[in-house]
Amino acid sequence: MEAHYWWIIGGVLFVLLNTAAGLIWLERRMLALWQDRYGPNRAGPFGILIVLADTLKLFFKEDWIPPFADKVVFVFAPAVVVASVLMAFAVVPFGPGIVVADMNIGILFFLAMSSLGVYSIVLGGWASNNKYALLGAMRGASQMISYEVFMGLALMGTVILSGTFNLGEIVEAQKGMWYIFPQLLGFVIFFIAGIAETHRLPFDIPEAESELVAGFHSEYSGMKFGMFFIGEYLGITLISSMIVTLYFGGWLGPAFLPGVIWFVIKTFVFIMVFILLRASMPRPRYDQLMEYGWKVLFPLSLLNLLGTAAIKLIIDK
Amino acid sequence: MGIAFYIAAAVAVLSTIMVITRFNIMHALLYFIVSLLSVAVVFYLYGAPFMAALELIIYAGAIMVLIIFFVMMLNLGSQTAGEERSWMTPGVWIGPSVLCLVLLGELVYLMLQPGDLSGDVRVVDPKEVGKSLFGPYILAVELAGMLLMAGIVGAYHLGRQKKKIVHRFLQNAES
Amino acid sequence: MFSLLRSMWLVFLHMFHKRETYQYPEEKAPLPARWRGRIALTRDPDGGERCVGCYLCAAACPVDCISLQAAEAPDGRRYPGFFRINFSRCIFCGFCEEACPTYAIQLLPDFEMAEYDRQNLVYEKEDLLINSQGKYPGYNYYRVAGMAISGKEKGEAQREEPPVNVRSLLP
């Protein structure tokens, strides 16, 4: 392997982990801004050193494994979420030529990795041997499995339009027009499914702190909890960057800025939308979420797929 | 690629053995997932990336999660592990394992035969898979579709509930 | 669906609203005059202690954090020999203030009394007694009560008739 390849891997890892840590600060500041507060503003300029303080605190907290837990699985579960999300980033094209693995099955790989992420919730909840954790794990498993279906189906619209699974080629195919315009419905479904997939706040029923203590990670402490935390923020970043890649033209943009900068700007806009959703949405009930998924989003995504394919056929004729 | 294949294959074999010998069903399922993942790696190495991704999404990502989901709800604890242990007597496992050893010997013999087993790998990209699925194998796809349709109809029938009466005051009004 | 978008937009607009936070250590929050904060023992306008050691505050206290011992000065004024409030137990309910017949014990608008050592939260009389009349300026218990102390005989208090000599009432 050539040297620049290692540079890309190292750079991507460095940027991603720092982004995930920085999102702690960003989320708290933005939430505060939207709730007419200040948020952390003491340590360092604009309180940015809260990231350092939080990380140090997580490292030095007591790392407690409950005696009633299944030890091996308990330790193993938090690693799964971070590993699977970081693996999924391997296929995301950050800029022209800046991609870790230029696979021709990029989208499928992303779907596979996000489906492996379910295990961290299920195993974490099961290994905790705690009724709230188990309830959270069950909710998480059924929610994520169902929403994966619509996520995959919504993605297929862009695959039909571009004719490839390769994310880099999908971005290249958006030179004329971003796919948000022909695939608006697909984008909306993908976005909702993405929120459910990262179990972010309107759909955070696996952890639902007002009913299930902290859901699947009730028993976790110290850096194991931190891994779940980082996994969640990495998941937000992943879904945002996938949205940008698939529907908003990835690194494409006016030429006065390099492609990577455009990609980062667009991704951060979507991260902001995620945080705004957290600030403004109430949590739906569990059965409402499943009903909404299977009775509304599933037919809609099938319709979207059918319509896109039909139009594509007619135009190509 | 040779080394990568042997590592993945060894992981697959070892984890499958672990699946059979674990007494705790959850651990057995976890090893089964590892086995599926390593099989996916083997697929990828031998030029079937589409197959590898599908193996991950469908088997490891969906079916195994569902199985774990149900096992989780059954709440099998250390008690059932003890039961399993008591069932696992040498008389039970010696017969199948001797048969398996015979099969393994045959397989090794076949692999050692000089032949074109290690022919060069041709990568089958998703487009080709799709073209062959909707070309020569269209009948199989349609049959699978029919089967799934039957499954959906059956699931709908099983999952349908009578109208629930949410309050005793409504009992007479709506019956 | 539309209402969801609308609520997102409304929350987004909060970005441009004024922030409600007081930047506390630099910027103090305005406390209302009746804020139930630090407990203090106040003084008369002439500088004497108001507390007469009647134990009503200690009896009213729901968490039993007040303890005191009454004593009497040679001039006839009663005062607490010691007066101790354990602020690690105090719940700042203000019952002691309501129970006090002489306006001596008062809850003042001040909450900055955190300590690193729990023992430092036990306030003695010298910590509690302040050189002020608190919320009731001009009130002097012994000036309105019919009790005789040195310098003021019975009947010399405000709005008080001189005591009637019962023997003069003979028919």
Side-chain angles (χ1 to χ4, degrees):
Chain A
M1 283 191 221
E2 302 108 62
H4 83 277
Y5 192 72
W6 290 111
W7 277 109
I8 290 177
I9 294 181
V12 166
L13 267 181
F14 178 78
V15 170
L16 282 181
L17 292 177
N18 276 310
T19 309
L23 279 183
I24 299 172
W25 171 79
L26 185 72
E27 173 158 39
R28 291 177 63 179
R29 281 297 287 202
M30 293 314 289
L31 275 182
L33 192 59
W34 284 315
Q35 292 167 357
D36 298 345
R37 298 182 285 118
Y38 281 93
N41 62 350
R42 295 282 147 174
F46 298 106
I48 193 130
L49 289 183
I50 190 86
V51 173
L52 198 66
D54 265 356
T55 320
L56 282 178
K57 181 197 77 178
L58 277 176
F59 270 114
F60 287 107
K61 273 191 131 175
E62 185 189 358
D63 199 4
W64 186 66
I65 298 178
F68 44 81
D70 192 315
K71 301 236 165 28
V72 182
V73 184
F74 188 83
V75 176
F76 171 70
V80 173
V81 61
V82 177
S84 66
V85 176
L86 280 179
M87 286 285 278
F89 268 109
V91 294
V92 175
F94 295 95
I98 308 179
V99 55
V100 175
D102 195 11
M103 281 193 221
N104 57 356
I105 51 158
I107 287 187
L108 290 178
F109 187 78
F110 157 72
L111 284 176
M113 283 305 137
S114 69
S115 64
L116 286 188
V118 183
Y119 284 116
S120 73
I121 292 185
V122 176
L123 297 179
W126 176 78
S128 301
N129 213 347
N130 165 324
K131 58 188 162 213
Y132 294 117
L134 193 69
L135 276 174
M138 275 163 53
R139 289 176 171 198
S142 45
Q143 170 187 338
M144 287 174 79
I145 282 195
S146 336
Y147 274 77
E148 232 157 60
V149 177
F150 327 133
M151 195 154 141
L153 283 176
L155 285 182
M156 289 309 139
T158 57
V159 174
I160 289 175
L161 283 182
S162 60
T164 174
F165 280 128
N166 187 315
L167 286 168
E169 288 173 26
I170 288 179
V171 174
E172 288 292 341
Q174 296 181 50
K175 275 239 166 82
M177 176 172 51
W178 289 356
Y179 283 160
I180 173 73
F181 301 112
Q183 283 292 314
L184 184 61
L185 187 59
F187 161 69
V188 171
I189 296 167
F190 180 77
F191 189 58
I192 295 174
I195 303 166
E197 191 68 17
T198 49
H199 43 92
R200 270 295 293 184
L201 211 80
F203 298 152
D204 71 333
I205 47 182
E207 32 187 304
E209 69 275 0
S210 46
E211 4 179 329
L212 295 183
V213 193
F216 60 94
H217 55 57
S218 299
E219 298 289 349
Y220 281 90
S221 64
M223 207 47 211
K224 290 204 202 66
F225 169 75
M227 293 288 258
F228 276 123
F229 213 62
I230 292 289
E232 187 180 326
Y233 283 122
L234 279 177
I236 298 172
T237 320
L238 175 66
I239 295 293
S240 306
S241 52
M242 284 307 284
I243 289 171
V244 168
T245 312
L246 292 169
Y247 297 100
F248 284 85
W251 69 75
L252 299 174
F256 58 86
L257 282 177
V260 188
I261 305 285
W262 277 114
F263 185 86
V264 170
I265 289 174
K266 291 176 190 172
T267 307
F268 265 89
V269 167
F270 278 98
I271 290 174
M272 291 291 187
V273 174
F274 266 89
I275 298 172
L276 178 61
L277 272 171
R278 173 176 181 174
S280 53
M281 292 286 149
R283 184 188 301 129
R285 221 170 52 210
Y286 173 63
D287 57 325
Q288 285 171 335
L289 179 76
M290 298 301 282
E291 218 162 87
Y292 182 65
W294 284 106
K295 292 184 180 165
V296 180
L297 289 185
F298 184 55
L300 270 184
S301 58
L302 280 180
L303 268 183
N304 177 47
L305 189 61
L306 200 67
T308 314
I311 291 171
K312 172 89 173 169
L313 270 182
I314 291 169
I315 289 177
D316 283 4
K317 280 275 157 62
Chain B
M1 189 165 83
I3 297 170
F5 167 74
Y6 284 118
I7 292 173
V11 170
V13 171
L14 276 182
S15 57
T16 313
I17 290 174
M18 295 298 258
V19 174
I20 303 168
T21 54
R22 286 310 89 187
F23 292 114
N24 189 328
I25 186 160
M26 210 65 173
H27 293 171
L29 286 174
L30 284 180
Y31 278 115
F32 192 28
I33 296 163
V34 174
S35 153
L36 287 173
L37 291 182
S38 49
V39 171
V41 172
V42 172
F43 274 132
Y44 189 81
L45 285 177
Y46 279 85
F50 188 68
M51 197 55 220
L54 284 194
E55 170 110 8
L56 279 187
I57 296 174
I58 295 172
Y59 284 98
I63 295 179
M64 289 312 292
V65 173
L66 284 181
I67 293 177
I68 284 186
F69 189 74
F70 286 116
V71 169
M72 214 162 70
M73 287 209 277
L74 292 179
N75 194 17
L76 303 171
S78 51
Q79 190 194 350
T80 40
E83 260 174 35
E84 292 265 343
R85 201 182 300 270
S86 65
W87 291 338
M88 193 78 169
T89 50
V92 176
W93 57 262
I94 276 183
S97 44
V98 165
L99 291 178
C100 284
L101 278 179
V102 171
L103 270 182
L104 183 69
E106 204 176 2
L107 195 66
V108 169
Y109 173 73
L110 281 178
M111 277 165 73
L112 291 180
Q113 292 287 343
D116 53 353
L117 279 174
S118 57
D120 47 34
V121 173
R122 198 175 62 86
V123 175
V124 183
D125 66 347
K127 245 176 208 163
E128 265 177 78
V129 176
K131 274 179 185 157
S132 64
L133 272 184
F134 283 91
Y137 297 105
I138 183 76
L139 189 65
V141 172
E142 293 293 333
L143 281 177
M146 293 291 283
L147 189 66
L148 288 178
M149 189 70 189
I152 289 173
V153 172
Y156 174 74
H157 180 72
L158 288 178
R160 200 175 44 160
Q161 315 175 326
K162 289 212 180 88
K163 197 168 187 184
K164 264 190 205 151
I165 294 163
V166 290
H167 197 275
R168 62 198 153 87
F169 289 169
L170 302 174
Q171 222 160 11
N172 300 323
E174 283 187 27
S175 59
Chain C
M1 189 71 199
F2 179 73
S3 72
L4 295 182
L5 291 178
R6 182 172 165 272
S7 66
M8 276 173 75
W9 172 245
L10 288 179
V11 171
F12 181 75
L13 284 184
H14 268 268
M15 210 164 175
F16 310 108
H17 286 199
K18 195 176 157 291
R19 286 158 164 174
E20 301 286 347
T21 315
Y22 292 105
Q23 295 287 338
Y24 164 60
E26 293 93 43
E27 186 190 348
K28 301 277 194 265
L31 297 179
R34 292 189 183 183
W35 177 275
R36 296 202 306 266
R38 194 165 67 93
I39 300 178
L41 293 175
T42 53
R43 286 179 189 274
D44 281 339
D46 58 14
E49 289 175 39
R50 273 179 181 162
C51 180
V52 295
C54 66
Y55 300 103
L56 280 177
C57 49
C61 184
V63 290
D64 285 347
C65 69
I66 303 177
S67 67
L68 70 154
Q69 173 91 61
E72 196 166 330
D75 62 354
R77 286 176 76 122
R78 279 165 61 92
Y79 68 96
F82 69 85
F83 199 105
R84 190 177 295 139
I85 297 185
N86 185 351
F87 278 108
S88 63
R89 301 188 71 178
C90 179
I91 57 173
F92 300 97
C93 61
F95 284 4
C96 46
E97 185 177 14
E98 288 177 26
C100 185
T102 64
Y103 294 149
I105 191 162
Q106 291 183 10
L107 276 72
L108 302 179
D110 171 23
F111 58 88
E112 292 160 331
M113 36 195 308
E115 295 281 355
Y116 284 105
D117 187 3
R118 198 165 270 263
Q119 200 55 42
N120 292 345
L121 281 169
V122 178
Y123 279 38
E124 293 295 341
K125 185 177 165 188
E126 48 270 29
D127 309 319
L128 293 165
L129 202 60
I130 57 172
N131 197 6
S132 157
Q133 304 171 42
K135 286 182 268 190
Y136 301 97
Y139 173 79
N140 190 334
Y141 171 67
Y142 289 105
R143 289 276 150 239
V144 294
M147 196 182 156
I149 54 170
S150 69
K152 190 207 84 170
E153 285 306 317
K154 271 189 187 297
E156 290 178 11
Q158 293 161 20
R159 297 199 302 280
E160 193 186 23
E161 304 276 315
V164 175
N165 187 354
V166 285
R167 292 196 180 82
S168 72
L169 277 179
L170 288 172

